[in-house]
Amino acid sequence: MIYELRTYQLAVGGMPDYLDLIRTKLLPLLAEHGIKPVGFWTTEIGTLNEVVHLWAFNDLNERQAKWAAWFKDPRRAEIVPRLRAAVVTQSNKILSPTEFSQLK
């Protein structure tokens, strides 16, 4: 199992529209491609106007195949430009669990 951690810094004031678009448009379409978030957070302390998504995939091949299918979806063109308008920066990381990830 691998995890993709995506962190987005949004423009001041962009959070409400961004979250509404994610909830009503993006997540339902991604789910059609088998892409569902493990978690979805916003920050309240530290860096403000930040959104963090965590996605899980069996391996890098599955991740690549699912995102590739999403990138070919013509409905993407209706949503992505609106999301990009709110985003100032984006950071993506691939995380692989270690034996410590099972500690309780």
Side-chain angles (χ1 to χ4, degrees):
M1 181 72 65
I2 63 159
Y3 297 90
E4 181 174 0
L5 181 69
R6 291 183 170 218
T7 305
Y8 297 87
Q9 182 69 40
L10 303 182
V12 174
M15 185 75 71
D17 290 340
Y18 179 87
L19 292 178
D20 184 61
L21 190 56
I22 293 286
R23 181 176 30 79
T24 62
K25 302 287 185 188
L26 183 67
L27 290 179
L29 290 177
L30 289 176
E32 290 181 25
H33 295 282
I35 304 171
K36 297 179 184 177
V38 173
F40 207 99
W41 301 271
T42 59
T43 56
E44 292 186 21
I45 297 174
T47 305
L48 300 179
N49 302 304
E50 189 174 75
V51 178
V52 180
H53 312 189
L54 184 64
W55 311 86
F57 300 95
N58 290 320
D59 55 38
L60 288 172
N61 291 327
E62 179 190 43
R63 177 194 172 273
Q64 183 177 354
K66 287 184 176 183
W67 283 123
W70 161 244
F71 275 88
K72 292 178 186 174
D73 190 319
R75 297 171 293 178
R76 183 178 175 273
E78 302 167 21
I79 299 167
V80 172
R82 293 172 57 195
L83 290 172
R84 283 187 184 145
V87 174
V88 176
T89 63
Q90 175 181 346
S91 170
N92 291 19
K93 296 178 183 176
I94 299 295
L95 308 172
S96 297
T98 68
E99 71 267 17
F100 305 117
S101 63
Q102 303 303 315
L103 297 177
K104 295 185 184 201

